[in-house]
Amino acid sequence: MAQTLTVAVLFSGNGTNLENLITRFHGRRFGDKSIRIVPVTNRPDAYGIKRARAYGLQTVVLDHKKFESRESFDAAMVSKLKELSADLVVMAGFMRIVTEVFTSQVEAINLHPSLLPLFKGAHAIEESFKSGMKVGGVTVHRVDSTLDGGEILDQMCVKIDPSDTLESFEAKIREAEHEILPRTVAKLLDLPAEGID
Ligand code: GAR
């Protein structure tokens, strides 16, 4: 009997990384394990909800505006993730800072579009592009209650060519993200890396 592992993917917007994780993992079997992706968002209007629906997946919506404080939102998120029995929690474009209410109870990883510790925060791609550096990159790190500050698990460099525009650089960042995140997820779930393409 295959063991089913549940991966909760938290997102707030477009959801390309969510979709990439769905296509690479959801309903697929890796040796004696099979994977279930559960999309979770804090925004009822997030485009990723539509992406998930195209694969027959219902998104769990916890609208942060309906909560009085960060802590009460985080507490609701924690109980939802426990209810789902998530084996892994992945933040992929989840644009919320979480408090200790979350980090003391949930182990999660986060995808960030820069070479941390450089360019933390919500404008990493643009700041990185305008920095004058010849490379930017992407990072997957553990989540703690500091902004983009947890232990770094993996990174990839992305070249900034003189011919790049912000848009072309962003496309390269997205491409790197779509490689690094599944790779880290496979590693953390102990799946064979060659199986995830
Ligand atoms: C990604 O670039 C991700 O690294 C970034 O949001 C984007 C979401 O794209 N996350 C952060 O900036 C977190 N600080 P997507 O919705 O298409 O997956």
Side-chain angles (χ1 to χ4, degrees), residues 17 111-115 124-125 128 136-138 156-160 166-180:
N17 283 284
L111 173 69
H112 185 76
S114 76
L115 290 174
I125 298 179
S128 171
V138 297
M156 277 173 72
C157 283
V158 173
K159 283 199 77 181
I160 304 174
L166 180 58
E167 289 69 32
S168 67
F169 176 58
E170 189 160 353
K172 291 198 279 187
I173 288 284
R174 203 72 358 105
E175 206 176 305
E177 290 184 333
H178 293 177
E179 187 180 331
I180 195 173

Side-chain angles (χ1 to χ4, degrees), residues 135-156:
V135 290
V138 297
T139 301
V140 181
H141 64 93
R142 290 195 196 279
V143 174
D144 64 16
S145 40
T146 64
L147 174 66
D148 299 323
E151 179 199 352
I152 292 171
L153 298 174
D154 202 358
Q155 291 187 303
M156 277 173 72

Side-chain angles (χ1 to χ4, degrees), residues 8-29:
V9 180
L10 279 50
F11 66 99
S12 300
N14 194 359
T16 68
N17 283 284
L18 165 69
E19 181 169 358
N20 182 49
L21 291 174
I22 293 171
T23 58
R24 291 188 190 233
F25 293 106
H26 183 71
R28 291 185 60 186
R29 201 169 161 153

